[in-house]
Amino acid sequence: MDLVPEVAHIIGQPALVPELPPQDAQRRFQLTFRRFIEVFARPEHPLVLFLDDLQWLDAATLDLMEDLLTRSHPRNLMLIGAYRDNEVTAEHPLMRKLDAINAAGGKVEEITLTPLAREHLEQLIADALRCKRERVAPLAWLVHDKTAGNPFFAIQFISSLTEEGMLVFDHDAMRWSWDLDRIDTKGYTDNVVELMVGKLTRLSAETQQDLQLLACMGNSAELALLKTVSPRPEDDLYGELREAIRAGLIACTEHSCSFVHDRVQEAAYSLIPGDARAQIHLRIGRVLAACVPPEKLPEMIFEIVNQLNRGAHLITSQDEREKLAELNLIAGKRAKASSAYASALTYLSAGAALMREDAWERRQELAFALELHGADCELWMGALPSVEERLAAI
């Protein structure tokens, strides 16, 4: 998750005064963002910000979070974050930042979300099937054994039982019925992704293709972009998406479409053959680059470059490779302007890797810019040996 460049665009700061030193630019952005928050956080209308997947935050966004919780102290604001504790260690940047916030006097309350207990599943299933908990207790215990109490996994598991005819409504008895022995002997996976793959494969081939395309674009995408990159006519696309909505796999608004859970996206992406993924990413990137007008390029640069970079090894034309290097330079400079130095260095390094050995003769200005901005990023990341080596080469 790279929050800062997106927020910078929202508040009208696409480039944070490049002539300022990076640290001054970051402080100016934090001040601007603080004032932006204060516009909405009022006593009569408190504001809650929820940030998901904190374990993926970049350094600049972590610094912004620290500023909000320690130095800014905006009133009428609650900041809620969620992260997977099995994906972080004590040395993870997120954990170090939380320790720093606590040490600086920031108020941090931690709530550990544990799996559902058997009694919780009993209540959930009893409410869903409109029957007494005593009757569903054996089923709830079986579901708990199969899913280890994972809420998302449990709901999807129960849904799969109805799809496969193992949990049915008896119209004569006017109640739900199930066969525990049949469910128990059914070979279910203990992996939620594999369960979702099974659910996806029961959809039509066209819907699967649409979801694979959406998965390549991320957890969510604007419908306009999805229509642009889809080879299917608009009417067909909407029709196939409705099937996925009814299956509870995606949620769509008037303007966007998103997976209901990142495990669904992971499952949809896994259905794409490994050797075809780069080709799809490259096609998406080419379509986006071709259809985006020049004035919209800065705000779309990350989406375009992220797609093209995943298929860059398939590009044989040197002209196209150098064009992609130029796009990486734009993305790198935009990320650097928001103090996202690690992300910026990734783009700049990808751009440099696309250049030929004779780049200093053919495209000296481009090659120089990629190296110079890369050195600047490494400087602010504290990688002084790399900076010296890069500047010496320049």
Side-chain angles (χ1 to χ4, degrees):
M1 176 179 179
D2 193 356
L3 175 67
V4 172
E6 296 176 0
V7 174
H9 174 68
I10 291 173
I11 64 177
Q13 294 272 59
L16 295 174
V17 194
E19 65 273 11
L20 289 176
Q23 288 181 328
D24 292 346
Q26 183 172 357
R27 290 301 303 158
R28 180 167 179 168
F29 172 79
Q30 290 173 349
L31 177 61
T32 305
F33 186 79
R34 186 189 315 163
R35 291 174 176 172
F36 176 72
I37 291 295
E38 291 172 351
V39 171
F40 301 97
R42 302 283 184 171
E44 67 276 10
H45 191 285
L47 177 65
V48 177
L49 292 180
F50 175 70
L51 304 179
D52 200 5
D53 292 319
L54 293 182
Q55 72 275 9
W56 295 338
L57 290 185
D58 65 0
T61 308
L62 286 172
D63 290 342
L64 177 62
M65 184 174 70
E66 181 183 18
D67 178 78
L68 284 175
L69 296 178
T70 59
R71 291 184 286 271
S72 302
H73 295 295
R75 299 178 179 179
N76 312 306
L77 170 69
M78 175 178 285
L79 180 63
I80 301 176
Y83 67 93
R84 296 176 183 169
D85 56 4
N86 63 327
E87 295 187 11
V88 300
T89 64
E91 299 303 316
H92 191 280
L94 172 63
M95 305 311 295
R96 294 202 302 267
K97 186 62 69 177
L98 291 177
D99 291 340
I101 292 172
N102 277 313
K107 185 178 180 180
V108 178
E109 298 283 348
E110 294 196 24
I111 302 175
T112 301
L113 300 180
T114 59
L116 296 175
R118 285 188 173 91
E119 56 267 27
H120 300 146
L121 274 175
E122 283 183 14
Q123 183 175 354
L124 173 67
I125 297 175
D127 288 344
L129 303 185
R130 297 181 179 273
C131 60
K132 295 182 179 180
R133 291 180 59 175
E134 294 79 9
R135 181 168 180 259
V136 301
L139 176 61
W141 280 55
L142 181 57
V143 173
H144 189 274
D145 289 342
K146 296 288 187 181
T147 64
N150 181 301
F152 178 75
F153 198 179
I155 292 173
Q156 295 300 324
F157 182 86
I158 296 170
S159 176
S160 70
L161 294 180
T162 63
E163 293 170 359
E164 298 186 25
M166 298 184 184
L167 175 62
V168 297
F169 186 75
D170 186 340
H171 292 275
D172 293 333
M174 294 298 293
R175 67 177 187 177
W176 288 90
S177 62
W178 53 88
D179 187 336
L180 282 179
D181 292 335
R182 186 182 172 200
I183 296 174
D184 190 34
T185 57
K186 177 68 176 178
Y188 285 104
T189 175
D190 58 359
N191 184 301
V192 66
V193 174
E194 293 183 15
L195 177 66
M196 297 312 303
V197 167
K199 190 167 186 176
L200 286 167
T201 55
R202 288 192 285 272
L203 301 175
S204 67
E206 292 76 14
T207 300
Q208 292 183 47
Q209 292 173 4
D210 291 332
L211 295 183
Q212 291 169 16
L213 188 64
L214 177 59
C216 287
M217 300 181 70
N219 185 263
S220 63
E222 296 293 323
L223 281 173
L225 290 180
L226 192 59
K227 289 187 293 184
T228 299
V229 301
S230 175
R232 186 170 294 107
E234 179 178 338
D235 293 341
D236 292 345
L237 176 63
Y238 278 116
E240 303 304 338
L241 288 178
R242 280 195 291 269
E243 182 184 6
I245 294 172
R246 288 193 297 269
L249 298 172
I250 62 173
C252 292
T253 66
E254 182 181 356
H255 302 292
S256 65
C257 186
S258 60
F259 289 101
V260 298
H261 197 278
D262 55 3
R263 289 293 184 260
V264 182
Q265 179 197 359
E266 187 178 343
Y269 194 75
S270 70
L271 291 176
I272 306 173
D275 56 353
R277 294 173 185 174
Q279 296 177 355
I280 297 176
H281 284 296
L282 182 59
R283 180 174 65 82
I284 294 174
R286 283 170 170 169
V287 171
L288 292 178
C291 71
V292 172
E295 64 274 12
K296 293 287 187 179
L297 182 60
E299 67 182 74
M300 287 293 300
I301 189 64
F302 296 115
E303 288 84 350
I304 295 172
V305 171
N306 288 339
Q307 294 292 337
L308 291 173
N309 283 349
R310 293 185 179 187
H313 62 282
L314 300 177
I315 301 176
T316 57
S317 167
Q318 187 56 35
D319 289 341
E320 186 177 4
R321 291 174 67 86
E322 291 177 357
K323 177 60 178 177
L324 178 53
E326 294 174 358
L327 294 176
N328 272 284
L329 176 61
I330 296 174
K333 292 169 65 176
R334 187 172 176 84
K336 185 166 76 79
S338 297
S339 303
Y341 302 117
S343 297
L345 186 58
T346 299
Y347 291 121
L348 296 167
S349 299
L354 290 161
M355 306 294 285
R356 289 195 329 197
E357 294 182 0
D358 61 350
W360 286 97
E361 288 74 31
R362 296 184 66 255
R363 299 295 306 275
Q364 181 181 6
E365 184 177 350
L366 175 58
F368 181 86
L370 289 167
E371 294 295 332
L372 182 62
H373 286 285
D376 195 21
C377 290
E378 289 177 334
L379 175 64
W380 292 106
M381 293 169 64
L384 296 182
S386 297
V387 174
E388 295 177 356
E389 181 180 349
R390 193 185 292 262
L391 290 179
I394 292 178

